[in-house]
Amino acid sequence: MTVRMRISLRVLYVVFGLLAIASGKAQVAQENPPKLILQITVDQLRGDMPASILAQCGPGGFRYLYENGVIYENAHHRHANTETVVGHATLATGADPADHGLTGNIWFDRELGRIVYNIEDDRYELLSHNQGSVDNIQKDPTIQVAKSDGRSPATILTTTFSDELALSTNGKSKNFAVSVKDRGAVPMAGQAGKAFWFSTKTGGFVSSSYYYKTLPSWVMAWNNKKLSKTYANTHWDLLNDRSTYRFGEYDDMPWEINLPGFGVVFPHPYGPADSPLYNTLLTLSPAGDELTYKFARELIMQEELGQDEVTDYLSISFSTTDYIGHVFGASSLETEDNLLRVDKLLSELFAFIDKQIGLDKTLIVLSSDHGTPEVPAFLNQFGIQAQYFYPDSVEKQKVIETVKAKYGLGSELISEYNHPYIYLNEEIIRKKGLDIHEVSRSIAAELPKIKGVAYAVPSIDLLEGKVPDTKLDRQILRNFHPERSGDIYLVLERNWFVNDFDGLTVASAHGSPWNYDTFVPIVFAGNGLKPQSIFRAVETVDIALTLSQYIRIKAPSGATGSPLIEVLTR
């Protein structure tokens, strides 16, 4: 099927849906807009994962969504770098990373001359219940590159759905986002909403002076309950009998990461509350999502969401599925148990929403920021080739030495390699009087000779439109921003990935353009939607546009998706 045919099919779906509306055979969804739009993101929830545990689920949670919702069974992110902030920003804006600007969790800022964290902003202070600066000790190397604990949405280059909702109501709507991760909350809140995230330093939820001068009193009161400490000297144990689990006998696998004091087998102890890693261990277990749910429930009550005729918005991003997947793998007993606990939380959340607001008055959309690969050793057991890739070895490869010799370069040619981006040493190249674009093309041509490398494309070719019109090249192009992207985009072979991040070894890592990382669920439910399963290909950029059209407001400024007709019609 050609590109033109694929585009034409997407257009035909939209046209036929709009014709049905115009002819009166279908009714546009929103004559009575929902009181609350609840956008749920489960971090690292590959599209097949909810169905894999559905038989073990109770009547609420995933089962409610999959029995009462509009399910898009073939949904994918369409960009190449499937990382957390990239996916969240895409869900929030309906735009590609090339447009919303968040091309990776980190990137090299050429003006500052250093690696920057996606939402760091030293113009603003982190607000905790201590009202003081909060040092970051979370074992998340992505965050550790930040030079400031301040956060803001300033790096997002387009509006979000929540921004447009605020504009359409002249600021009367209440727009909030909550997550363990700051990068799971800030993009969803946009520039006009409010964001909260979990601090591993304080054990409470924090925000930024971008949003508030001081934390709201109800947040201070909630934090002062110190609910995170209730897990002290307890442990994470299995929710159900081990015999009921698909991976019940896979509790001690050699690829799992043995974190100090946490172990690789159930039960996983949290240890004492004064342990330096105590709060970090909470985020590596279902406790992180439980605290997120409890904080979100308090927010709904204290901010009185859904209590008037103006549609409010709440984003909840459950983060711990991602952390658990990195440490134990997608096909692990820990991931299976955690998914069942996510299901239990969703069931409690929906019951609470039904009581407070009414599920018939709430539009729910569930998706994920990215999927996940399987651990190489797990795949190897089935005869499937898979392997880890070590970025430190790239500079030392013979192919790089060949390029150095060609141009007479003796020192390091690569200044930064933060997968998938390679940044060249511009200073050395300039001193030699060389053209950096010519050098980048030479390196990109050589890189696929390295074992594990599938493809490399220089950014100058993306900028000048000199790439083939393939699915992979389109994915990379949608991820390209001339000021933030590296000089070369590197794609590893399927089932190859980097498992070392600044000294933190992980069992698996997402970030590729391959199907297992782009495949995510998209489910809309509540507010009178009729259950149905849709099997045509849809994309995550469709969500923000669909939400906008559902309540008949302007779409985010960079939205490029297509409306999901099944949600817009009854």
Side-chain angles (χ1 to χ4, degrees):
M1 184 182 291
T2 66
V3 176
R4 183 173 295 176
M5 289 174 65
R6 283 193 293 269
I7 294 173
S8 297
L9 282 174
R10 284 178 63 81
V11 172
L12 284 173
Y13 283 124
V14 175
V15 170
F16 288 149
L18 293 176
L19 287 174
I21 294 171
S23 66
K25 294 180 180 179
Q27 180 182 357
V28 176
Q30 267 337 106
E31 293 177 354
N32 297 307
K35 291 182 176 293
L36 176 68
I37 291 177
L38 176 63
Q39 186 162 11
I40 299 171
T41 307
V42 181
D43 203 318
Q44 202 178 129
L45 186 69
R46 199 175 57 212
D48 60 308
M49 284 180 162
S52 73
I53 61 159
L54 211 55
Q56 300 163 266
C57 296
F62 285 123
R63 188 174 292 279
Y64 167 78
L65 294 173
Y66 278 73
E67 291 182 352
N68 298 277
V70 181
I71 309 159
Y72 292 92
E73 305 277 7
N74 187 17
H76 288 262
H77 284 289
R78 67 182 201 173
H79 53 263
N81 190 20
T82 46
E83 293 185 332
T84 296
V85 82
V86 188
H88 278 87
T90 299
L91 293 170
T93 64
D96 294 317
D99 294 316
H100 64 60
L102 299 188
T103 59
N105 282 341
I106 59 177
W107 60 80
F108 185 78
D109 187 308
R110 293 177 172 89
E111 186 175 333
L112 295 176
R114 67 173 178 87
I115 296 293
V116 296
Y117 180 58
N118 53 84
I119 52 171
E120 70 170 286
D121 193 333
D122 61 8
R123 296 173 299 172
Y124 302 99
E125 295 180 348
L126 194 65
L127 301 178
S128 74
H129 62 276
N130 297 322
Q131 297 303 333
S133 177
V134 180
D135 295 328
N136 188 344
I137 63 168
Q138 183 167 324
K139 283 293 183 181
D140 184 338
T142 302
I143 295 176
Q144 291 175 359
V145 305
K147 300 300 182 184
S148 165
D149 56 21
R151 301 287 184 264
S152 87
T155 52
I156 305 174
L157 305 179
T158 68
T159 61
T160 64
F161 168 74
S162 57
D163 290 334
E164 296 297 341
L165 179 59
L167 291 171
S168 71
T169 62
N170 196 25
K172 293 180 181 178
S173 65
K174 301 169 184 175
N175 304 323
F176 292 93
V178 179
S179 179
V180 159
K181 297 181 181 180
D182 53 12
R183 60 187 182 274
V186 171
M188 308 306 291
Q191 300 171 73
K194 311 286 188 184
F196 298 98
W197 56 94
F198 184 73
S199 166
T200 55
K201 175 67 174 180
T202 69
F205 279 81
V206 298
S207 190
S208 162
S209 61
Y210 173 88
Y211 306 105
Y212 299 99
K213 291 183 179 179
T214 61
L215 284 180
S217 58
W218 71 263
V219 177
M220 304 272 281
W222 191 92
N223 282 336
N224 286 332
K225 293 178 183 177
K226 302 185 185 304
L227 294 184
S228 61
K229 292 185 180 295
T230 61
Y231 294 90
N233 298 312
T234 66
H235 52 261
W236 168 24
D237 208 347
L238 291 172
L239 182 65
N240 301 320
D241 185 88
R242 186 181 293 263
S243 64
T244 65
Y245 289 83
R246 185 164 45 128
F247 295 101
E249 297 184 6
Y250 289 78
D251 192 20
D252 187 7
M253 306 309 294
W255 54 78
E256 296 178 335
I257 306 303
N258 191 357
L259 296 172
F262 201 56
V264 296
V265 297
F266 282 100
H268 295 281
Y270 295 121
D274 58 358
S275 168
L277 290 179
Y278 171 74
N279 286 322
T280 295
L281 294 180
L282 296 185
T283 69
L284 299 175
S285 77
D289 283 346
E290 290 168 6
L291 291 168
T292 301
Y293 160 65
K294 291 173 183 177
F295 184 83
R297 186 178 62 185
E298 186 75 7
L299 186 155
I300 291 169
M301 291 188 293
Q302 294 295 336
E303 297 291 346
E304 299 181 341
L305 298 190
Q307 299 305 309
D308 56 30
E309 298 307 311
V310 178
T311 299
D312 295 326
Y313 171 83
L314 174 62
S315 164
I316 305 176
S317 179
F318 292 112
S319 303
T320 57
T321 302
D322 181 73
Y323 287 131
I324 291 168
H326 282 304
V327 174
F328 298 102
S331 294
S332 65
L333 183 57
E334 283 80 3
T335 289
E336 184 178 4
D337 187 73
N338 178 66
L339 288 174
L340 293 173
R341 290 179 180 274
V342 170
D343 172 69
K344 184 172 180 288
L345 284 183
L346 291 178
S347 182
E348 293 177 13
L349 174 62
F350 296 158
F352 175 76
I353 292 286
D354 198 26
K355 181 179 179 180
Q356 289 289 118
I357 302 167
L359 287 174
D360 60 329
K361 299 179 180 66
T362 302
L363 178 66
I364 302 168
V365 55
L366 175 131
S367 191
S368 182
D369 53 344
H370 52 75
T372 182
E374 297 289 349
V375 175
F378 176 79
L379 293 174
N380 296 159
Q381 292 180 338
F382 295 87
I384 299 172
Q385 295 184 19
Q387 199 166 325
Y388 292 128
F389 186 83
Y390 298 95
D392 290 344
S393 66
V394 172
E395 178 75 34
K396 302 171 185 176
Q397 292 286 337
K398 184 178 180 180
V399 296
I400 302 297
E401 294 300 325
T402 300
V403 176
K404 285 182 180 181
K406 175 181 178 180
Y407 292 107
L409 296 168
S411 55
E412 290 190 358
L413 187 54
I414 296 173
S415 63
E416 295 284 347
Y417 171 28
N418 292 289
H419 191 76
Y421 287 115
I422 292 176
Y423 297 85
L424 300 183
N425 192 329
E426 294 185 21
E427 183 179 358
I428 295 297
I429 293 171
R430 280 198 307 269
K431 283 182 178 179
K432 282 284 186 177
L434 301 172
D435 181 350
I436 190 170
H437 301 319
E438 179 188 343
V439 175
S440 68
R441 284 178 170 133
S442 295
I443 295 174
E446 294 291 326
L447 285 172
K449 297 176 183 178
I450 300 174
K451 186 177 181 181
V453 175
Y455 186 56
V457 57
S459 287
I460 186 60
D461 284 358
L462 297 171
L463 189 63
E464 295 181 352
K466 296 180 179 179
V467 292
D469 187 19
T470 67
K471 177 185 176 182
L472 179 57
D473 283 289
R474 289 193 299 273
Q475 288 175 285
I476 297 171
L477 190 58
R478 293 183 187 119
N479 221 102
F480 172 67
H481 188 279
E483 295 179 9
R484 297 176 180 177
S485 297
D487 297 300
I488 299 170
Y489 195 103
L490 189 68
V491 180
L492 301 181
E493 295 283 2
R494 292 168 180 83
N495 298 317
W496 281 68
F497 52 81
V498 175
N499 81 321
D500 184 279
F501 296 94
D502 295 341
L504 179 64
T505 301
V506 293
S508 70
H510 49 84
S512 82
W514 307 124
N515 283 345
Y516 48 76
D517 277 341
T518 63
F519 182 33
V520 294
I522 295 181
V523 183
F524 286 80
N527 203 218
L529 291 180
K530 295 180 180 179
Q532 54 184 312
S533 291
I534 310 300
F535 292 92
R536 76 171 186 276
V538 301
E539 298 166 335
T540 52
V541 290
D542 299 339
I543 293 175
L545 181 61
T546 300
L547 290 174
S548 299
Q549 295 196 353
Y550 191 90
I551 57 174
R552 294 176 168 175
I553 67 172
K554 177 163 57 71
S557 59
T560 58
S562 300
L564 298 172
I565 298 301
E566 298 81 7
V567 178
L568 299 178
T569 59
R570 294 181 182 179

